[in-house]
Amino acid sequence: MGIFVGAKILGTAMKVEDTAIDKVHGWGCTPTEETPAAPPSTANTCLPPWVTRGWRRNTLFCILVFLMILVFLNIALTLWIISTLRLTRDGIGPVTIIKQGIRLSGQAWVEDGLVASAIASPPALPITMHAHRNFTVLVKDPEHSEHAKLHIRRDAIECSGRTFEVRDAAGGRVFQAASDEVRVFADALAVDGAGGVNVRNSLQAPLVRAPPGSDLQLESLTRMLDLRAPQSIYFESRAGNIDIASHNNIKLDSVVGAIKIDAPNIIISNLKEATTVDKPQKSIRGKKVYQMCACASGKLFLAAPDALCAMQDNDTELCR
C-alpha cells in the first residue's frame, strides 16, 4: 500500500516539474528566472487567426490560385478563338491550304491588295469579282515599274500596256491593238451601227463588203476620199448599179495604160448642143471642136470637125 502511494506521489511531482519547465524557457531552451513576454492578444483584431498566422504561405496560395485562373482563362479564350475562326489542321475556316496554294470556299473580302500568281475557280463553278468603286489588275516588276494594268470603273474599262490582244478558245489571235496599229484577225469585221465606221487617217483592208441586204457607202463629209492600190482597184455590183456623183468634176486618169469601158451601150446624157452656122469660122475657139471617132476595137480618137472619121493607111498606132 505504502509503495503504491509513494509512486503516485512521485509521478505527480514529476508531472508538476515538467509543466513548470514547459512554461519557463530561456534563450536556446535554457531555463532562466525571467518570464517571457506574453504573445499579443487577438481578441480585438477583425481578421481571422489563419490570416495573421503564416501570411507568407497564404500569399503563395493566392498567387497559385491567381495563376490557375489565368491558365483557365487562356484555355477558354483559345478554345473560343478556335471555334470562332474554325481553325483546323488544313486551314482557317473556308481557307484550306493545299499543295498548289490556297483554296477558298465561299466569299472573300480583300481590304487592301491581293498578290497571287493565278486565280482559278473549281471545275464547273463560276468565279465572280465584285468591287464597290473600281477593280484594278496590275502587273509590275519588283522595281515597282508598271507593265500592264486593267482598270475597271463604274462607267469605263481602261487597259494600259504595249499591246492589247484578244484570243479565241484555240489560242488564235482575234484582235490586236497597239499604239501604231489595230488589227482584226477574224474572217470578217461587221459594224451594225447606223453611223458606220469613222476613220480619221486611213483604212487598209483586203476587202470592203456590205452585208447581204445592205448598201456599201464610202463617204468623206468635208474632205477628199482617196482609194489606192499598188496593183488594181476593182468595183463590182452583181445585182445593181454603181453610181459615182460629184459636185465638180470626175477625173479618170491613167498614166501608162488606158481607160476601158466594156458595155454594150454607152450613154452620155445632158450634153450641151453647139449652135449650127452656115459658114465655117476659122477663129481660135472654133479649132477646139473636134469629132469623136471610134475604132473597131472600141478605142476612141478625135478627128477634125470637117474631116472624115478615118485613119490613114500608114498609121498603125491609132487603133492599136
Side-chain angles (χ1 to χ4, degrees):
M1 177 71 71
I3 296 172
F4 178 77
V5 172
K8 186 176 182 181
I9 295 172
L10 181 60
T12 304
M14 292 177 63
K15 185 176 181 181
V16 171
E17 184 179 359
D18 294 339
T19 304
I21 292 172
D22 293 337
K23 291 182 178 181
V24 180
H25 293 279
W27 186 263
C29 298
T30 304
T32 58
E33 296 179 359
E34 298 179 357
T35 303
S41 177
T42 60
N44 297 328
T45 59
C46 297
L47 299 176
W50 63 272
V51 176
T52 57
R53 290 181 299 180
W55 61 273
R56 293 183 179 86
R57 179 182 60 187
N58 297 334
T59 304
L60 180 60
F61 287 160
C62 292
I63 293 174
L64 291 177
V65 171
F66 179 72
L67 291 177
M68 292 177 64
I69 294 173
L70 286 181
V71 170
F72 288 137
L73 288 178
N74 289 333
I75 294 174
L77 183 60
T78 302
L79 294 177
W80 177 77
I81 293 175
I82 292 175
S83 62
T84 303
L85 298 179
R86 291 182 294 173
L87 294 176
T88 60
R89 62 179 184 179
D90 296 330
I92 302 175
V95 180
T96 305
I97 301 175
I98 58 178
K99 293 182 179 180
Q100 292 80 11
I102 297 176
R103 184 176 61 191
L104 177 63
S105 301
Q107 297 181 357
W109 296 83
V110 181
E111 296 292 340
D112 189 5
L114 177 62
V115 180
S117 59
I119 300 176
S121 63
L125 292 178
I127 182 171
T128 302
M129 297 183 182
H130 176 75
H132 179 67
R133 292 186 177 180
N134 55 62
F135 179 75
T136 304
V137 179
L138 180 63
V139 178
K140 62 181 181 180
D141 56 6
E143 297 179 358
H144 303 286
S145 59
E146 297 182 1
H147 292 288
K149 181 174 68 174
L150 176 62
H151 185 67
I152 303 176
R153 299 184 298 177
R154 289 185 177 181
D155 55 351
I157 298 177
E158 298 179 0
C159 180
S160 61
R162 295 182 180 178
T163 58
F164 176 75
E165 293 185 0
V166 177
R167 298 179 178 269
D168 56 6
R173 291 186 297 178
V174 178
F175 178 82
Q176 180 181 2
S179 59
D180 54 348
E181 64 178 2
V182 176
R183 292 191 176 188
V184 178
F185 299 93
D187 296 336
L189 174 63
V191 180
D192 297 333
V197 179
N198 186 6
V199 181
R200 295 184 178 273
N201 294 325
S202 62
L203 176 63
Q204 182 179 0
L207 177 63
V208 179
R209 180 179 56 189
S214 302
D215 298 333
L216 177 62
Q217 182 178 0
L218 302 178
E219 181 181 3
S220 178
L221 298 178
T222 58
R223 292 296 184 267
M224 180 180 63
L225 179 61
D226 189 6
L227 299 177
R228 294 184 181 182
Q231 186 173 358
S232 62
I233 297 177
Y234 181 69
F235 295 95
E236 181 184 2
S237 178
R238 297 181 180 179
N241 301 329
I242 295 178
D243 298 333
I244 299 176
S246 175
H247 180 71
N248 289 328
N249 300 327
I250 295 177
K251 182 180 179 181
L252 301 177
D253 187 9
S254 178
V255 178
V256 178
I259 298 174
K260 296 182 179 180
I261 301 176
D262 186 4
N265 299 319
I266 298 176
I267 301 173
I268 302 176
S269 60
N270 297 327
L271 291 179
K272 293 182 178 181
E273 296 181 1
T275 57
T276 59
V277 294
D278 298 336
K279 296 181 180 180
Q281 298 179 0
K282 297 182 180 180
S283 60
I284 300 175
R285 187 174 180 180
K287 293 181 180 179
K288 294 183 179 180
V289 179
Y290 299 95
Q291 297 182 82
M292 180 179 289
C293 303
C295 298
S297 62
K299 186 176 181 180
L300 301 178
F301 66 94
L302 297 178
D306 55 351
L308 297 175
C309 285
M311 66 175 184
Q312 299 179 3
D313 296 336
N314 56 358
D315 191 356
T316 58
E317 298 292 335
L318 184 60
C319 290
R320 184 176 180 181

